[in-house]
Amino acid sequence: MDETRKGMSKEDICAHLGDDYDRYLGAIVPPIFQNSLFTRKTVNHGYSYTRMSNPTTEIAEKKIAALEEAEEARCFSSGMAAISAALMSVMEKDCHIVCPLNVYPPTKGFLDSYMTKFGVETTFVSGEKVEEFERALRPNTKAIYLETPLSNVFTLQDLRAVAELARSKGIATIVDNTWATPLYQNPIACGIDIVVHSASKYMGGHSDILAGVMVGSKERMEQVTHRERGLFGASMDPHQAWLLIRGLRTLPVRMRRHQESALRVASFLEAHPQVERVLYPGLPSHPQYELGRRQMSGYSGLLSFVPGGSREQIAGFVKSLRLFEEGPSWGGFESLINSPGLWLDEEASRRTGIPQGLLRISIGLENPDSLLEDLDQALASMKRL
């Protein structure tokens, strides 16, 4: 573990850790090493090829490892590159994985479709109780993959309980921590082995990069450097790393604003007569609110809700929003809306666990009063459709 990070606050880590001003001629913003190779005719500096390591990328890795209270981190070219690498690092042919049903859809597709050709089987559970994971285990189970809160439905998994169960069986644990960010949740401290992030979301924060990160022990990360990242070639580009570093500098400030605005929006929606249900772990009405308080120190800006009305009325609500853009991503400066449950029939809703009519919104950095006004006028418009 980097001795220089001891005693640093998370704000200080984001602002300064790894920047090494003396090394870079006092530049307050370190340079981009936008090159593929490093020669060593006169100096053995430890670098050879950017697919393996790069000074710019290493700055981002040092910051994120420190934020996650982990030994080391490795950056990847996308969130899915980090997720698939993490899973591949613990899987083997004909093994078994346990995973929550409502995990990030591309992760579910990777396990449920792609990896089946290698004999890998996955058991999907709701994930709300540790007993579900225990009942799903098999002799060939190699990993329990978690994502808390879960995409779209925002249910939680008990990190400490699952980590304790997995460790007693010699099974690896992986957690997607993108929603909470390292500022508000640290799974490594709960006993989890590997943490992954789509850094395209809050860490980047500006909707202008694709980036993924994997964190864990020094031993695991060194293996990943030469195997899953090095051999698959999914390394982060130095310019993307530089943009990620830029995003990390403002992460604490942005996350406070995302949280404050999202709590206001969630409370507004929960009290609105046109809204049937709000799914957000920051609300005291959330059934796992106390679990969230035990393993998280804050909340981000992504939530879901179910408006009352027909499909056509809900679709009209989405189109009548003025500030919220319609799109599938989240975690940037802009507010977004997506409709994963809008056209689900009753059987698909039962199978997926996603309520019919569910809408997901990402609360950006706009004036929260303006966001409330926009939601209010759009909800009012449903009555006229």
Side-chain angles (χ1 to χ4, degrees):
M1 186 176 293
D2 188 348
E3 292 295 317
T4 62
R5 75 196 214 192
K6 284 186 176 179
M8 294 184 75
S9 69
K10 292 196 173 183
E11 290 83 357
D12 296 341
I13 289 167
C14 288
H16 298 297
L17 183 67
D19 293 345
D20 201 348
Y21 302 125
D22 291 340
R23 181 183 184 186
Y24 302 121
L25 307 178
I28 198 68
V29 178
I32 308 173
F33 284 80
Q34 190 67 51
N35 50 284
S36 58
L37 80 158
F38 301 83
T39 60
R40 51 185 181 273
K41 188 174 182 179
T42 58
V43 179
N44 187 9
H45 40 62
Y47 298 99
S48 61
Y49 202 65
T50 285
R51 179 163 52 84
M52 308 305 293
S53 61
N54 178 283
T56 310
T57 307
E58 284 182 354
I59 296 173
E61 291 172 344
K62 287 179 180 179
K63 290 181 185 292
I64 295 167
L67 291 172
E68 277 290 10
E69 301 177 16
E71 289 182 348
E72 292 192 1
R74 293 295 183 270
C75 287
F76 289 79
S77 55
S78 70
M80 271 310 299
I83 289 167
S84 57
L87 284 162
M88 291 291 284
S89 74
V90 299
M91 290 192 295
E92 58 187 38
K93 187 176 182 296
D94 297 328
C95 74
H96 175 248
I97 307 294
V98 184
C99 178
L101 175 64
N102 272 301
V103 74
Y104 179 51
T107 304
K108 188 173 187 292
F110 176 75
L111 288 170
D112 202 27
S113 298
Y114 188 81
M115 289 309 299
T116 55
K117 68 181 183 179
F118 300 105
V120 175
E121 292 185 283
T122 303
T123 298
F124 293 98
V125 299
S126 79
E128 294 174 58
K129 296 183 182 298
V130 69
E131 291 80 10
E132 294 178 89
F133 292 101
E134 189 168 17
R135 287 194 296 268
L137 297 181
R138 301 178 188 175
N140 63 333
T141 302
K142 288 296 179 182
I144 298 176
Y145 185 93
L146 308 171
E147 178 188 310
T148 183
L150 279 168
S151 300
N152 298 321
V153 297
F154 301 102
T155 53
L156 313 179
Q157 301 106 63
D158 189 327
L159 291 176
R160 288 182 176 85
V162 175
E164 184 178 351
L165 167 67
R167 190 152 294 175
S168 71
K169 307 288 186 182
I171 296 169
T173 47
I174 306 169
V175 175
D176 184 335
N177 196 31
T178 305
W179 186 92
T181 81
L183 297 185
Y184 295 152
Q185 184 167 257
N186 294 123
I188 297 289
C190 296
I192 298 298
D193 297 310
I194 300 170
V195 176
V196 292
H197 289 270
S198 169
S200 315
K201 308 299 192 294
Y202 289 119
M203 285 188 186
H206 294 76
S207 296
D208 56 5
I209 64 171
L210 285 177
V213 185
M214 177 181 175
V215 304
S217 68
K218 185 176 187 293
E219 180 183 5
R220 284 184 184 275
M221 294 305 102
E222 286 180 347
Q223 290 176 350
V224 165
T225 297
H226 297 282
R227 288 168 33 182
E228 286 75 23
R229 191 177 73 172
L231 294 179
F232 297 166
S235 303
M236 180 180 286
D237 173 80
H239 186 244
Q240 300 296 86
W242 188 86
L243 290 172
L244 175 56
I245 294 165
R246 178 205 60 181
L248 288 169
R249 296 193 199 287
T250 61
L251 181 63
V253 177
R254 289 186 288 105
M255 290 309 298
R256 282 195 292 273
R257 180 59 176 266
H258 286 303
Q259 175 179 226
E260 291 167 4
S261 296
L263 283 167
R264 284 191 62 187
V265 168
S267 299
F268 165 80
L269 291 172
E270 189 174 47
H272 199 286
Q274 196 65 36
V275 175
E276 294 181 352
R277 186 180 175 190
V278 180
L279 294 77
Y280 185 62
L283 289 174
S285 58
H286 190 284
Q288 295 173 296
Y289 179 70
E290 290 304 322
L291 172 60
R293 284 173 60 88
R294 289 199 302 272
Q295 65 187 28
M296 293 190 293
S297 60
Y299 313 97
S300 70
L302 190 69
L303 62 130
S304 292
F305 69 103
V306 181
S310 67
R311 293 177 177 178
E312 290 72 21
Q313 285 178 307
I314 296 173
F317 161 82
V318 172
K319 298 300 181 185
S320 65
L321 287 165
R322 297 164 184 161
L323 274 180
F324 287 82
E325 291 294 326
E326 189 175 0
S329 192
W330 49 278
F333 63 89
E334 74 286 13
S335 291
L336 295 169
I337 188 163
N338 196 27
S339 49
L342 182 55
W343 303 110
L344 292 180
D345 58 27
E346 188 173 341
E347 194 281 328
S349 174
R350 180 195 59 76
R351 187 180 68 254
T352 62
I354 298 175
Q356 289 180 280
L358 179 135
L359 302 175
R360 191 186 72 185
I361 53 175
S362 176
I363 305 303
L365 300 178
E366 300 91 344
N367 186 309
D369 291 329
S370 301
L371 296 177
L372 294 178
E373 290 173 9
D374 192 24
L375 290 165
D376 194 37
Q377 66 83 21
L379 287 165
S381 74
M382 291 179 67
K383 296 178 181 179
R384 300 191 293 270
L385 295 175

